[in-house]
Amino acid sequence: MTDLLRVEFERYPSGGKLPPSRELVARHRVGPVTVSRALARLAAEGLLVTRPGAGAYRAGKAAPVAEGDTSWQHLALSAESPEGLPRAVDASGVLATLAEPPAGVVEFNGGYLHPGLRPERALAAALARAGRRPGAWGRPPAEGLPELRAWFARDLAGDGGGPGPGGALVSPGGQSALSGVLRALAPPGAPVLVESPTYPGLLAVLRAAGQRPVPVPVDADGLRADLLPEAFRASGARVLVCQPLHQNPTGTVLAPARRPALLAAARAAGAFVVEDDFARRLGHADAEPPPPPLAAEDPDGVVVHIRSLTKVTAPSLRVAAVLARGPVLERLRAVQVVDHFFVPRPLQEAALELVGSPSWPRHLRAVASELGARRAVLATALARRLPEVLPARVPTGGYHLWLPLPEGTDESALAAEALRRGVAVAAGRPYHPAEPDRPHLRISYGGVADAEELEDGVRRLAEAYAAVRG
């Protein structure tokens, strides 16, 4: 509709009045809301102006903007920091999961649930109720609403342990929480131990802060905790970041025997463990009960725990919590205040309304059931069409599969060919902080519409694989 009106504008002189909205509705056979949104979009683009009580008019032509010379910026942007660290920021790995795929493309590279899996009706009702609360549009406490902080603390305690309400800070999403925690715990230039492979967003955060990711391998039982003592000693790192539950991208769960070894290695090194518990509410209906968070086994404040509502709800419900014990909490709070002041109160109030409503447990059960069903469909389709890339162990949580490719496969060429055939997948290289052991693809089944689209996506991927492998 916006494009139709943009073309129609050419018939009107500068300052000319547009027809009334009701006439546009009848002419283009669309609803009044569609016309209203299109006009608002064009007004935002500066193509029309609205005058209350008078209507909408085509805006006058803006004076041309002189082309300047911005080449000086190359030198300014390439300068190193006083510590000798590069200042470039590479967000390509993150943008790949945020970009909207072209129409008709099966989205196997998304990072969020499909709209059909989101509690959009419950979210709309929660936001409407939140907006009517007294003081909902005022300034909240910098560390977050006490009721929401208490809920996050109870949520963690219900999973097996953790700090009390005084140890929770509300943050604007898990990625922001991770960025603030890492800047609070490690200075520019510092080494930080990370899983390999790991989430590209973590690598982007570290490199943007001038920190150096040091890889520790992940196998079928999670992070190689036996390698941590030497990794801490050789690197001098004082921070480890890990995802013990349904790790992204491998889906592994840290084996029970490795948990005490991980915490012991961190304590011996005087280091913090940042536990990114992003998948806590993404277990499938047929999964065993998840192990408690590492924070449950840590009375000494070694673990800084992050959990978010975003992954299990919707991309724009950017509400998360950082939970910690001891003096580190004040530093975490200071960094968050400097970065964000506070999380908008209406969003916090809406989150409280959502998690306190009867629809919340129903939604969690529905997501668990749907993700399990989609995982089964995807694994079956891969076993039938691409058995050579199916992982030995299919995770029962999260919504990613980490597909090992035969040696010599050009994963980037395969991803490009798959996109040409209408399915978007992620090449494995950006998930490694150092050289990968072999080529991989990561495919996500959380952002697809249904089983039929899953089957179609695997068919297209198989065709791309055959074309690349010859």
Side-chain angles (χ1 to χ4, degrees):
M1 181 65 199
T2 305
D3 291 335
L4 287 174
L5 288 181
R6 194 177 283 112
V7 172
E8 188 170 317
F9 270 10
E10 299 302 322
R11 301 189 356 234
Y12 297 92
S14 176
K17 185 176 181 180
L18 272 68
S21 293
R22 62 180 178 275
E23 183 177 327
L24 294 174
V25 166
R27 181 185 305 171
H28 297 287
R29 298 181 180 179
V30 295
V33 173
T34 301
V35 169
S36 177
R37 287 177 176 171
L39 292 174
R41 174 94 178 258
L42 294 172
E45 294 176 6
L47 296 178
L48 65 83
V49 293
T50 57
R51 300 171 188 166
Y57 297 80
R58 181 174 177 179
K61 293 184 178 180
V65 178
E67 289 291 333
D69 180 6
T70 60
S71 58
W72 64 272
Q73 294 183 6
H74 293 289
L75 181 60
L77 291 173
S78 63
E80 292 183 340
S81 69
E83 297 86 359
L85 302 171
R87 298 167 60 196
V89 179
D90 182 6
S92 56
V94 182
L95 290 172
T97 65
L98 296 178
E100 286 285 338
V105 171
V106 178
E107 188 177 8
F108 273 172
N109 68 335
Y112 299 102
L113 294 177
H114 185 271
L117 295 179
R118 300 172 193 164
E120 294 194 347
R121 189 170 296 178
L123 277 169
L127 189 60
R129 292 193 300 271
R132 294 193 295 268
R133 284 187 173 189
W137 297 93
R139 175 176 57 83
E143 60 271 19
L145 295 178
E147 302 90 342
L148 186 56
R149 295 169 61 216
W151 180 86
F152 272 115
R154 289 194 305 272
D155 193 49
L156 176 57
D159 292 325
L169 301 171
V170 179
S171 178
Q175 181 76 357
S176 178
L178 189 60
S179 176
V181 166
L182 287 171
R183 287 197 298 105
L185 300 183
V192 175
L193 302 188
V194 300
E195 296 165 317
S196 183
T198 190
Y199 165 53
L202 168 59
L203 300 179
V205 162
L206 290 169
R207 289 165 178 155
Q211 296 159 347
R212 178 166 56 90
V214 178
V216 181
V218 170
D219 62 17
D221 290 319
L223 183 69
R224 287 281 305 276
D226 59 309
L227 300 177
L228 286 176
E230 176 59 18
F232 277 121
R233 187 201 65 77
S235 67
R238 292 294 178 267
V239 179
L240 160 67
V241 185
C242 61
Q243 295 175 330
L245 184 61
H246 307 311
Q247 193 256 4
N248 183 6
T250 65
T252 57
V253 177
L254 186 65
R258 295 187 180 184
R259 295 165 62 93
L262 184 155
L263 291 173
R267 287 192 186 99
F272 287 98
V273 175
V274 180
E275 181 181 25
D276 181 3
D277 205 17
F278 81 101
R280 179 60 53 175
R281 299 291 174 256
L282 295 174
H284 302 167
D286 59 351
E288 295 291 327
L294 290 176
E297 301 169 19
D298 166 47
D300 304 322
V302 171
V303 177
V304 175
H305 182 91
I306 299 173
R307 60 177 51 200
S308 172
L309 292 174
T310 306
K311 289 292 187 185
V312 75
T313 56
S316 286
L317 188 66
R318 305 210 60 77
V319 176
V322 178
L323 300 106
R325 286 188 175 98
V328 70
L329 194 64
E330 184 54 37
R331 181 178 293 188
L332 295 171
R333 177 180 179 275
V335 168
Q336 181 162 301
V337 168
V338 168
D339 281 354
H340 309 292
F341 286 7
F342 47 78
V343 178
R345 183 161 187 153
L347 207 56
Q348 294 190 58
E349 298 278 11
L352 267 175
E353 289 280 355
L354 177 67
V355 300
S357 70
S359 63
W360 179 242
R362 291 198 300 268
H363 168 67
L364 296 181
R365 289 193 296 269
V367 168
S369 175
E370 280 292 326
L371 289 182
R374 293 175 190 215
R375 179 209 71 220
V377 169
L378 179 60
T380 300
L382 286 169
R384 185 173 67 252
R385 294 182 181 271
L386 283 170
E388 59 269 48
V389 307
L390 188 65
R393 186 185 300 177
V394 176
T396 57
Y399 42 76
H400 310 116
L401 288 186
W402 185 239
L403 306 184
L405 302 175
E407 293 290 350
T409 304
D410 187 334
E411 61 182 30
S412 297
L414 176 54
E417 180 64 24
L419 187 58
R420 281 194 289 272
R421 293 174 183 268
V423 57
V425 297
R429 182 65 186 86
Y431 292 79
H432 290 273
E435 292 76 15
D437 57 346
R438 64 182 296 175
H440 282 83
L441 288 183
R442 192 201 77 159
I443 61 177
S444 169
Y445 49 93
V448 295
D450 50 32
E452 182 180 352
E453 190 171 51
L454 280 168
E455 295 270 7
D456 186 41
V458 173
R459 176 187 62 78
R460 298 183 191 194
L461 180 59
E463 291 173 355
Y465 180 83
V468 169
R469 293 286 294 177

